[in-house]
């Protein structure tokens, strides 16, 4: 991984291994656990990370009704993270997440973009970049239709490069 790719997401590792394509999950908790446990096994996060994400999701839900399909952006506080990274999962069948702005509503989510950010100062810049993908209907539809980790990663990286004019 070169530094230029890491610079796209404020120093976060964007690894193909952190992309999960057409995952079968029965709940928001199951997909959060899948990605969180993967992060823990890779040494990116502390053992407390996954439960902290689940706890935060109860108080501050992260489901978004995006133009191309529902997306969730689960994350938690920086003190649970060793190395900043992003995990992206496309789901074979959507699962319900509670809506960020309206916790009493649910949205059917087809893409989960889970964040592990070790520097609290970088949470907002990272979220801003992720939201730029969420707001792009074509990008969301293409991500949902991805059939390989490589394609999904390339889509995310190329979107940020073009949206933020990063070489």
């Amino acid at each position: 991984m070169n530094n230029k790719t890491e610079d796209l997401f404020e120093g976060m590792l964007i690894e193909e291994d952190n992309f999960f394509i057409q995952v079968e999950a029965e709940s928001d908790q199951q997909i959060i656990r899948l990605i969180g446990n993967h992060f823990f096994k890779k040494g990116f996060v502390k053992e407390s990370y996954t439960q902290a994400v689940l706890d935060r999701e109860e108080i501050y839900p992260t489901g978004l009704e995006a133009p191309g399909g529902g997306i969730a952006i689960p994350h938690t506080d920086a003190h649970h993270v060793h190395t900043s990274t992003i995990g992206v999962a496309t789901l074979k069948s959507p699962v319900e997440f509670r809506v960020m702005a309206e916790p009493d509503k649910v949205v059917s989510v087809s893409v989960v973009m889970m964040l592990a950010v070790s520097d609290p100062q970088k949470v907002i810049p990272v979220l801003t970049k992720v939201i730029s993908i969420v707001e792009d209907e074509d990008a969301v539809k293409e991500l949902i239709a991805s059939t390989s980790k490589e394609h999904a990663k390339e889509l995310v990286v190329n979107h940020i490069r073009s949206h933020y004019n990063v070489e």
Side-chain angles (χ1 to χ4, degrees), residues 4 13 19 35 46 54 85 126 133 136 145 150 153-154:
K4 288 187 177 196
L13 292 176
F19 284 73
I35 299 170
K46 297 178 182 176
L54 291 166
T85 192
V126 167
I133 296 169
D136 184 328
E150 179 181 74
K153 177 189 171 196
E154 184 178 299

Side-chain angles (χ1 to χ4, degrees), residues 95-129:
V95 297
E96 290 186 345
F97 272 76
R98 290 179 30 244
V99 176
M100 187 180 292
E102 301 175 74
D104 293 336
K105 286 180 63 181
V106 295
V107 59
S108 291
V109 166
S110 297
V111 177
V112 176
M113 300 180 84
M114 197 150 124
L115 308 176
V117 184
S118 63
D119 180 349
Q121 301 299 315
K122 294 192 175 179
V123 172
I124 298 301
V126 167
L127 280 171
T128 300
K129 289 181 177 180

Side-chain angles (χ1 to χ4, degrees), residues 6-166:
E6 290 179 16
D7 289 345
L8 294 174
F9 266 106
E10 309 297 324
M12 295 179 77
L13 292 176
I14 304 174
E15 295 188 342
E16 212 171 276
D17 194 37
N18 292 351
F19 284 73
F20 304 86
I21 305 303
Q22 295 298 304
V23 174
E24 291 190 37
E26 294 183 19
S27 69
D28 57 343
Q29 292 186 359
Q30 188 177 17
I31 193 64
I32 288 170
R33 282 191 176 94
L34 174 94
I35 299 170
N37 290 339
H38 171 78
F39 284 174
F40 178 67
K41 287 177 188 169
K42 301 255 319 185
F44 297 144
V45 298
K46 297 178 182 176
E47 191 171 3
S48 60
Y49 172 83
T50 302
Q51 189 58 53
V53 173
L54 291 166
D55 293 346
R56 186 186 185 287
E57 194 71 26
E58 285 298 313
I59 300 166
Y60 304 108
T62 62
L64 295 167
E65 296 174 342
I71 293 187
I73 311 170
H75 56 284
T76 194
D77 299 324
H79 67 268
H80 297 284
V81 180
H82 296 302
T83 304
S84 294
T85 192
I86 183 170
V88 177
T90 63
L91 304 176
K92 189 172 250 180
S93 300
V95 297
E96 290 186 345
F97 272 76
R98 290 179 30 244
V99 176
M100 187 180 292
E102 301 175 74
D104 293 336
K105 286 180 63 181
V106 295
V107 59
S108 291
V109 166
S110 297
V111 177
V112 176
M113 300 180 84
M114 197 150 124
L115 308 176
V117 184
S118 63
D119 180 349
Q121 301 299 315
K122 294 192 175 179
V123 172
I124 298 301
V126 167
L127 280 171
T128 300
K129 289 181 177 180
V130 171
I131 294 295
S132 77
I133 296 169
V134 172
E135 292 173 338
D136 184 328
E137 182 174 358
D138 292 335
V140 171
K141 286 180 177 178
E142 192 173 345
L143 195 53
I144 291 169
S146 290
T147 58
S148 73
K149 293 174 178 236
E150 179 181 74
H151 179 258
K153 177 189 171 196
E154 184 178 299
L155 176 75
V156 169
V157 169
N158 288 342
H159 177 85
I160 296 303
R161 275 196 176 121
S162 66
H163 195 77
Y164 287 90
N165 297 315
V166 179

